Amino acid sequence: MDKISPDSTLYVYEQLAAIIERKIRSGEYAPGTRLPGELTMTHDYKVGPGTVRRALDILRERGLVITVRARGSFVVDPVPPE
């Protein structure tokens, strides 16, 4: 699993967004796949829920995920090019 680096010049939410984007582009999270829930990501990456939400906001802005209320966030199909 990728780790958040406290020494990075990037904000933690930017690091998390980059990690998830890499997983989407590598196919680890395939198009149509539901991403792990916010609570799971807070535990896996040892970050706060606000950080996870900010990272998901970035991914939505980039057109990589959609969020369906009460269902979660999903990788778009097809994944847009870089």
Side-chain angles (χ1 to χ4, degrees), residues 33-56:
T33 301
R34 182 181 183 273
L35 296 179
E38 287 182 12
L39 186 59
T40 300
M41 284 196 260
T42 61
H43 287 116
D44 289 351
Y45 296 103
K46 297 174 179 42
V47 297
T51 300
V52 173
R53 286 187 207 106
R54 281 266 330 248
L56 291 173

Side-chain angles (χ1 to χ4, degrees), residues 8-40:
S8 175
T9 58
L10 295 175
Y11 290 110
V12 174
Y13 64 87
E14 292 171 325
Q15 292 181 60
L16 182 56
I19 290 168
I20 297 168
E21 182 171 353
R22 269 195 304 276
K23 289 182 177 193
I24 289 170
R25 297 210 180 274
S26 73
E28 186 174 338
Y29 294 147
T33 301
R34 182 181 183 273
L35 296 179
E38 287 182 12
L39 186 59
T40 300

Side-chain angles (χ1 to χ4, degrees), residues 22 29 45 55 60-61 69 75 79-80:
R22 269 195 304 276
Y29 294 147
Y45 296 103
R60 276 192 293 275
E61 289 170 10
R69 189 178 176 128
V75 178
V79 173

